[in-house]
Amino acid sequence: MNCNRFLRFLHDDLALSTDSIAIAQRYSEKNPSQIPMILWQYGLVTLEQLDRIFDWLESA
């Protein structure tokens, strides 16, 4: 996974704020693959957005 492309997708396509992304990154420092679940657990993305994230990750 290209981390920069993924972060750009979160910001540009899902319109997540820089702060929301930073929170997820902070809590997933040891395991970046946990970012989608952290975003969802903290209520920063909806289930629909979580689906889009997993679809994006699968196609990347």
Side-chain angles (χ1 to χ4, degrees):
M1 166 179 73
N2 181 320
C3 196
N4 288 332
R5 279 184 54 221
F6 178 57
L7 297 177
R8 235 181 358 259
F9 164 75
L10 294 175
H11 187 267
D12 297 345
D13 291 20
L14 295 183
L16 295 182
S17 71
T18 304
D19 290 339
S20 294
I21 295 168
I23 289 168
Q25 286 181 294
R26 189 174 322 119
Y27 286 104
S28 66
E29 283 179 350
K30 293 178 184 169
N31 193 355
S33 66
Q34 294 297 313
I35 289 176
M37 292 309 296
I38 290 169
L39 287 167
W40 181 71
Q41 287 174 331
Y42 282 89
L44 301 171
V45 295
T46 64
L47 282 176
E48 180 180 309
Q49 289 171 311
L50 186 62
D51 260 352
R52 287 184 61 197
I53 291 170
F54 286 132
D55 288 344
W56 187 91
L57 288 171
E58 188 175 301
S59 68

